[in-house]
Amino acid sequence: MSNSNYYEILGLPKHTTDAEIKKAYRKLSLKFHPDKNPGDTYFEDWSKKINEAFAILGNPASRAAYDQQFETHSFKDQFYPRPGQYASAATATETAEEKAPPPKPQPSAAEQLVLRQVKDMVPDYLRLKGEYLLAKKEFELVKKKQAPAIFTKQQLLIGSGIALLAVAGLIYASIAATTRAPKVIMEPLPTPEWKKKA
Amino acid sequence: MLLVFLCIAILAGLLIYGLLTYNDHKNVRQRYFAELKMAENRLAAARKDFELLDKPLQGLISKQFGNRMAENVKTETISTGMPSELLLVSWGEPAQVSYATDEMNKEVWYYDPFTTPEKETAYRTEITIEQNRVSTWKDRN
């Protein structure tokens, strides 16, 4: 019997039903079938592991034997630290080996597959993310620039100043025309002789 | 009388100047709004393309690693135990990677480079990856 953690390979908890084991096996077999990716050793390796796990867990007798081995902590170094598992091991025997920190978790087959898919998507994802962020920055820069006014401030200032001066000049001229102009007394002209005769 | 004519002439001049330059200013304004519209369209297209890949990726991460991990990846938050592939998605490619000589599975990823006063390249964040997962990180003050 191999030292692999078959439950983790199938991505299942230990106390799972036979039906769930079959279901997980079928699903993973389809995903990792070597014919889907001929020549890819990654899929071949995982396919072998999945078949091996199902050969043990799919048979009630071999699964019972495997579970018994599981209970004796013979595979503990290959498992995720489960609640109480390491505590019980530490209290049972105070050996240096069991005091060692729990090992790093090994990804299950399903997790491996997802990570592989994610890794394949990363270059395109980063490129599109970069393009999106650049477009966002450009848009914000354009938006930040205020829309140009129909007339500039300087033009409005000069225009208003000149108009004000013109109005002031007109007012001054009209006042000057009425107050400062020399008073002319208009006397009636004498009646001409020819008019008198008539 | 002369003054009145002068004022009228100045006002007329201003009016003509305004009318002549009005079209130029109108064109500048039109160019600005066209540029704004183009930038908006570019942003919408880039967002659409990005979301086409972002949504399935987030769904994949959420399904396998849970909503919390997916949220962390989206908000560019790293956590201990995060797979290096998700770190790549979250923070992008590191500026520099160094591999430990004694431990084959240990790597240090460096992010956010800057130039020191001594004209040397340094990095503000160092992330240690062990067995393909984030183990520790260090920020330089």
Side-chain angles (χ1 to χ4, degrees):
Chain A
M1 189 179 286
S2 165
N3 280 335
S4 303
N5 183 348
Y6 297 132
Y7 288 107
E8 273 194 5
I9 288 172
L10 296 180
L12 295 166
K14 187 178 166 282
H15 301 290
T16 189
T17 61
D18 291 345
E20 280 173 335
I21 290 173
K22 274 184 189 170
K23 198 178 163 188
Y25 168 70
R26 278 182 198 146
K27 201 175 162 187
L28 289 172
S29 309
L30 282 172
K31 273 187 184 176
F32 286 88
H33 202 282
D35 289 350
K36 281 192 174 178
N37 295 276
D40 192 333
T41 51
Y42 172 84
F43 282 86
E44 280 174 18
D45 290 348
W46 272 105
S47 187
K48 276 179 199 166
K49 281 182 193 174
I50 291 158
N51 286 333
E52 193 185 328
F54 185 67
I56 299 297
L57 299 182
N59 183 344
S62 57
R63 185 184 170 189
Y66 177 79
D67 286 350
Q68 205 178 351
Q69 206 177 344
F70 186 98
E71 290 302 326
T72 58
H73 303 288
S74 53
F75 311 139
K76 64 182 180 298
D77 287 347
Q78 293 171 37
F79 296 150
Y80 285 87
R82 294 178 198 284
Q85 185 183 346
Y86 288 98
S88 62
T91 47
T93 47
E94 290 289 325
T95 62
E97 190 187 318
E98 281 168 347
K99 278 183 182 175
K104 296 282 177 186
Q106 295 297 318
S108 66
E111 197 176 311
Q112 286 267 27
L113 182 70
V114 168
L115 288 176
R116 197 180 159 93
Q117 285 175 338
V118 168
K119 205 172 182 178
D120 288 343
M121 287 163 95
V122 161
D124 283 338
Y125 176 83
L126 292 179
R127 181 177 57 78
L128 291 174
K129 192 178 178 182
E131 281 173 10
Y132 168 59
L133 292 176
L134 192 71
K136 200 174 171 183
K137 205 175 172 182
E138 272 177 8
F139 175 71
E140 277 165 9
L141 276 174
V142 175
K143 208 177 168 187
K144 216 175 176 180
K145 287 194 281 181
Q146 282 186 339
I150 292 178
F151 292 108
T152 61
K153 273 185 185 174
Q154 201 183 358
Q155 284 169 341
L156 284 174
L157 205 69
I158 293 169
S160 332
I162 291 171
L164 202 69
L165 278 174
V167 170
L170 277 172
I171 292 167
Y172 175 76
S174 63
I175 291 169
T178 51
T179 56
R180 294 197 178 183
K183 283 183 182 175
V184 179
I185 300 161
M186 300 294 283
E187 287 180 0
L189 291 169
T191 313
E193 285 301 316
W194 60 269
K195 207 172 182 180
K196 278 181 185 174
K197 280 178 187 173
Chain B
M1 205 63 179
L2 187 70
L3 194 66
V4 173
F5 277 120
L6 192 69
C7 288
I8 291 168
I10 290 169
L11 285 173
L14 274 175
L15 191 69
I16 290 163
Y17 173 72
L19 285 172
L20 287 174
T21 53
Y22 175 77
N23 275 341
D24 291 343
H25 288 290
K26 201 177 161 186
N27 288 341
V28 171
R29 274 171 73 85
Q30 276 175 348
R31 274 203 300 275
Y32 166 79
F33 285 115
E35 196 187 346
L36 190 68
K37 187 75 188 163
M38 272 167 67
E40 202 176 348
N41 288 345
R42 275 200 301 270
L43 177 64
R47 186 191 286 133
K48 198 179 164 188
D49 287 348
F50 175 60
E51 281 175 356
L52 273 177
L53 200 60
D54 184 49
K55 277 184 182 168
L57 186 66
Q58 293 296 336
L60 207 63
I61 295 168
S62 175
K63 198 176 166 187
Q64 184 62 38
F65 300 97
N67 289 335
R68 197 175 169 184
M69 185 66 92
E71 190 61 31
N72 280 350
V73 170
K74 202 170 185 178
T75 55
E76 301 185 356
T77 309
I78 59 166
S79 56
T80 312
M82 178 187 256
S84 58
E85 287 84 356
L86 301 192
L87 176 64
L88 269 180
V89 174
S90 186
W91 281 29
E93 293 281 351
Q96 174 79 25
V97 178
S98 70
Y99 303 91
T101 49
D102 51 341
E103 293 168 82
M104 288 301 286
N105 289 330
K106 194 175 174 184
E107 294 172 14
V108 183
W109 290 13
Y110 299 93
Y111 284 93
D112 205 0
F114 68 98
T115 310
T116 60
E118 294 82 32
K119 307 280 177 201
E120 285 172 359
T121 306
Y123 303 91
R124 287 196 177 88
T125 309
E126 290 177 25
I127 300 174
T128 310
I129 312 281
E130 281 181 51
Q131 296 188 1
N132 216 32
R133 282 171 190 269
V134 172
S135 154
T136 55
W137 60 84
K138 196 165 71 178
D139 280 326
R140 186 174 170 146
N141 293 322

